[in-house]
Amino acid sequence: MKIGDKIIIILVILGALASYFYFHLQAAPAEEMVARIEVNNRLYKRINLKDVEEPYQIKISQEGGRYNIIRVEQGRIRMSDANCPNKLGVQVGWLSRPGEMAVCLPHRVVITIEAGEREPEVDGVAY
Amino acid sequence: MGSVKKITTIAVLVTLALVLHVVEALIPIPYIVPGFKLGLANIVTVTALYLFGFSETLLIVLLRTFFGALLTGAVSSFFYSVVGGIFSLIVMFLVSRHLDKFVSLTGVSVMGAVAHNIGQLLVAGIIINTFGVFSYLPFLLLSAIATGYFVGLVSRVLLGYINGRWVT
């Protein structure tokens, strides 16, 4: 191993740490937590997870017998089953923090947790 | 290297990549990160880059991703493989060409694995229209170090074998 190899490995580790802090530690628990389900890049449903009282399931069926089952509980949501080949979206498990996401690429189903969005405040008004 | 020998070697390398591709699909890998793969087929890319050059390796990458998609039937993953493969090849070519004094095959292969992952995340981000997929980046970067290191080691052995005993 030459010196450059070690530098590359250290830089990649630093990059991993930096992106970890950027993507995962920034997200603070919000007062309202909204899960967003998208199918084919279009909004399918928005669910405020804080308002869920009884757990329930949603089944998204698409042509060709493709389906995704989504389980919703208070404060968390997950893709509980899908008949896509590798089931990556299912393996992600429960989502409960803003910014987390479960993706089923073959069916183009995406669940994300939005950070509580606030209305942008007005800086100034001129007449 | 004569042209017949070259064509044959390219064909053998493409075949080797396809076999590795199928074998990799058979190995059960514990779930760590979505998109995590060993990337065994990259052994062929690294080896070809050192054996030939950019254009021959590009040909091998295109052939192996195309036939790989036909072989495993995973046509939807074709775009990820092809973009990841080309992205990784460009980065490895630039690193091996310009930083050759400081970086060995291992570093080149680690950079290739990193570029492969970033390329695939870019495609995923474009297809689902959210760059939130980049939240997987830290885990993929760490796994790229391990897989890239391993791929580099195997390529070194393979290159030694090819240079020493087969292609003169």
Side-chain angles (χ1 to χ4, degrees):
Chain A
M1 233 178 19
K2 292 188 197 171
I3 179 81
D5 300 339
K6 287 171 188 159
I7 294 174
I8 283 177
I9 289 174
I10 290 167
L11 284 180
V12 174
I13 292 175
L14 289 179
L17 285 176
S19 52
Y20 181 77
F21 282 113
Y22 182 77
F23 287 111
H24 293 268
L25 296 185
Q26 226 183 22
E31 57 284 349
E32 75 163 355
M33 205 161 58
V34 179
R36 188 183 172 88
I37 303 171
E38 284 179 34
V39 181
N40 279 323
N41 294 340
R42 271 198 222 110
L43 181 63
Y44 177 83
K45 198 169 182 161
R46 284 177 88 232
I47 304 163
N48 191 340
L49 296 176
K50 292 273 149 100
D51 292 346
V52 177
E53 279 159 14
E54 287 291 307
Y56 63 95
Q57 290 192 346
I58 305 170
K59 183 167 182 175
I60 300 174
S61 300
Q62 298 184 69
E63 73 267 26
R66 299 180 296 162
Y67 67 84
N68 293 69
I69 296 172
I70 293 164
R71 185 156 179 87
V72 186
E73 288 182 12
Q74 187 175 23
R76 58 186 199 165
I77 186 168
R78 71 170 295 177
M79 197 177 285
S80 53
D81 194 17
N83 58 348
C84 59
N86 45 20
K87 297 195 189 338
L88 291 179
V90 178
Q91 289 172 321
V92 171
W94 290 104
L95 313 179
S96 58
R97 294 177 62 183
E100 287 183 328
M101 64 193 309
V103 182
C104 178
L105 275 174
H107 299 180
R108 303 183 81 182
V109 174
V110 181
I111 310 174
T112 43
I113 298 197
E114 299 175 350
E117 280 175 39
R118 284 180 303 168
E119 289 296 316
E121 288 172 18
V122 180
D123 283 338
V125 180
Y127 291 97
Chain B
M1 201 183 290
S3 77
V4 174
K5 209 161 201 175
K6 192 170 173 180
I7 291 171
T8 320
T9 312
I10 289 177
V12 170
L13 284 176
V14 171
T15 316
L16 181 60
L18 290 175
V19 171
L20 287 174
H21 188 69
V22 173
V23 167
E24 185 176 331
L26 296 176
I27 303 174
I29 301 170
Y31 172 75
I32 305 171
V33 199
F36 173 78
K37 280 175 98 180
L38 285 174
L40 292 180
N42 282 345
I43 293 169
V44 170
T45 313
V46 178
T47 308
L49 188 63
Y50 276 82
L51 205 58
F52 302 112
F54 184 79
S55 46
E56 290 88 347
T57 314
L58 181 63
L59 178 69
I60 291 177
V61 168
L62 291 175
L63 285 173
R64 82 162 163 84
T65 45
F66 178 69
F67 286 113
L70 289 184
L71 207 60
T72 52
V75 183
S76 63
S77 65
F78 173 67
F79 288 105
Y80 305 99
S81 322
V82 89
V83 173
I86 292 175
F87 207 61
S88 136
L89 170 59
I90 292 172
V91 168
M92 289 197 291
F93 173 70
L94 292 177
V95 172
S96 66
R97 174 59 58 95
H98 295 289
L99 299 171
D100 196 38
K101 276 186 195 145
F102 314 105
V103 180
S104 78
L105 210 141
T106 311
V108 169
S109 150
V110 169
M111 282 308 289
V114 168
H116 202 278
N117 285 336
I118 291 176
Q120 293 196 323
L121 282 179
L122 276 176
V123 179
I126 289 166
I127 287 184
I128 61 171
N129 215 356
T130 328
F131 285 92
V133 285
F134 273 87
S135 59
Y136 296 145
L137 186 66
F139 311 106
L140 286 175
L141 283 179
L142 287 182
S143 65
I145 297 176
T147 57
Y149 189 83
F150 174 72
V151 165
L153 285 182
V154 178
S155 308
R156 197 188 299 271
V157 174
L158 183 60
L159 269 173
Y161 182 77
I162 293 176
N163 284 329
R165 298 206 223 164
W166 179 24
V167 180
T168 42

